[in-house]
Amino acid sequence: MISAETQYRTLVRVLPAWYRAERGDEMVGTLLDLHGERARAALWSELWALLALGVRTRLAARAAPARTVALGDLVRQVALLGLLWGVLKSASRAGDTLWSLLSFSDDYPGAFRVALTSDLRKDLILLAVALIPLALLVDGWRRMARIAAGAILAAGAIWFLVEHSSDLGPELIAYFAPQWLPLMLVLVAFHADAPLPPARPWWWAVGGGLVLAPALALRFGLPGDLSRIDGLSPLVWLCAIAGACYLLLRRRTGQRPGWTLALALCIALVMVQNLVLKNGVIPFGAMVIAQVCCAGVIVVALTVAGIRDYRRTVVNR
């Protein structure tokens, strides 16, 4: 039979090694005292606090080894960029529906216009839902942002199980994972000790995305051949251009391995999501292949640059 001390020492391993070396024995002693006193409520509270402490110390922002801080920064940047991608995608979908509604003449059946109006209303609601956690974080409302992310994640999981319980598969997971991942990372990475994102750059990014994404959806009334350059999505081109611009400006902004690797990961997830979404819907012609290759080269370049920055600023420190 496994002793209580062995069990608690195993549980304490949720903490990183550098923290266990300083406080591990003390925490095991506290758990053993509560176990001996049969203080069940206090013991469960201590175990929950231990789990939360494990998350905070493994994704620390300060007072931790450089590698731990670098991992925490990477996770937080992935969360922010993922939330921004959700806003861009929702704004693009709403813009697409809006342009469709405005471009149709009165000759179309009224039921069709009513359906488009209903779709636009739903798209605007989804845009607001995507915007809320990011706006709360940027505005400094950390606790409210985490509550909103948890509520959205729970509601989305319930909807997913209701709608797709009969056709679960890897394609569905690959499509929805880029939408779930940022919300989960907000819950674990933006703890009380984590820094909040700088407000001004992120408000500019959000505002620019809300203007640019609907503009990219404007195709009606334009030459038909123009839509062929979209490839998988005009947003994939936008992500690739953003990655290329970051690479060009990286020397001026300094070496930030967290930012570089997060951008590479998010562009890769965007490509995967669009490939899964458009599989069998559009032909994978030369433009799609060119778009995938272009974005893929940017992802590889960002990954190489991020690893080099990580070695220079963290490993060799």
Side-chain angles (χ1 to χ4, degrees):
M1 184 175 179
I2 301 176
S3 65
E5 181 177 358
T6 303
Q7 292 178 346
Y8 292 142
R9 287 196 178 278
T10 302
L11 290 172
V12 169
R13 293 184 69 85
V14 300
L15 301 170
W18 61 269
Y19 195 90
R20 293 200 309 270
E22 299 177 2
R23 301 282 305 278
D25 292 337
E26 177 185 347
M27 301 191 76
V28 171
T30 301
L31 293 173
L32 286 173
D33 291 341
L34 293 174
H35 181 86
E37 296 173 1
R38 298 184 181 277
R40 297 296 182 185
L43 180 59
W44 281 109
S45 177
E46 192 70 24
L47 290 174
W48 177 254
L50 176 65
L51 178 61
L53 180 62
V55 172
R56 290 201 307 272
T57 51
R58 290 187 181 275
L59 298 175
R62 58 181 71 89
R67 295 187 181 189
T68 302
V69 174
L71 176 61
D73 289 341
L74 171 61
V75 173
R76 281 182 283 275
Q77 302 308 331
V78 170
L80 290 169
L81 290 173
L83 292 177
L84 182 61
W85 164 248
V87 172
L88 287 173
K89 189 175 64 172
S90 299
S92 178
R93 187 185 296 115
D96 196 10
T97 306
L98 177 62
W99 297 129
S100 299
L101 183 62
L102 294 178
S103 64
F104 288 141
S105 64
D106 294 335
D107 296 335
Y108 281 82
F112 193 70
R113 183 174 293 276
V114 170
L116 279 177
T117 304
S118 176
D119 289 343
L120 178 60
R121 188 180 300 112
K122 181 176 66 175
D123 291 340
L124 291 176
I125 292 173
L126 291 176
L127 174 59
V129 169
L131 185 60
I132 286 172
L134 181 58
L136 288 172
L137 268 180
V138 173
D139 205 36
W141 296 84
R142 186 201 321 267
R143 182 178 177 83
M144 292 301 299
R146 295 177 69 192
I147 292 174
I152 295 169
L153 191 61
I158 294 172
W159 171 86
F160 178 80
L161 292 175
V162 171
E163 292 291 325
H164 300 286
S165 58
S166 60
D167 58 346
L168 287 176
E171 289 190 354
L172 278 174
I173 300 299
Y175 175 72
F176 283 102
Q179 300 173 217
W180 297 332
L181 182 62
L183 296 171
M184 291 187 289
L185 295 184
V186 167
L187 293 176
V188 299
F190 282 95
H191 47 77
D193 299 329
L196 289 169
R200 180 174 296 180
W202 281 101
W203 279 127
W204 276 104
V206 171
L210 291 176
V211 172
L212 189 57
L216 290 175
L218 175 59
R219 302 185 192 88
F220 302 98
L222 299 177
D225 291 341
L226 192 62
S227 63
R228 296 179 183 177
I229 68 173
D230 287 353
L232 292 172
S233 168
L235 292 181
V236 177
W237 286 121
L238 179 62
C239 292
I241 292 172
C245 292
Y246 177 82
L247 285 172
L248 293 175
L249 299 175
R250 191 172 61 92
R251 295 186 180 277
R252 295 185 179 182
T253 58
Q255 297 177 348
R256 299 179 180 180
W259 262 107
T260 309
L261 292 173
L263 192 56
L265 177 60
C266 288
I267 295 176
L269 289 175
V270 167
M271 280 200 303
V272 169
Q273 188 180 48
N274 278 277
L275 283 169
V276 172
L277 176 65
K278 301 299 176 66
N279 184 25
V281 178
I282 63 172
F284 281 9
M287 187 55 65
V288 173
I289 295 174
Q291 188 182 52
V292 171
C293 291
C294 179
V297 169
I298 297 297
V299 169
V300 172
L302 286 168
T303 303
V304 172
I307 293 174
R308 291 179 61 186
D309 290 348
Y310 176 78
R311 289 177 176 175
R312 290 173 181 174
T313 60
V314 178
V315 176
N316 297 329
R317 180 176 293 181

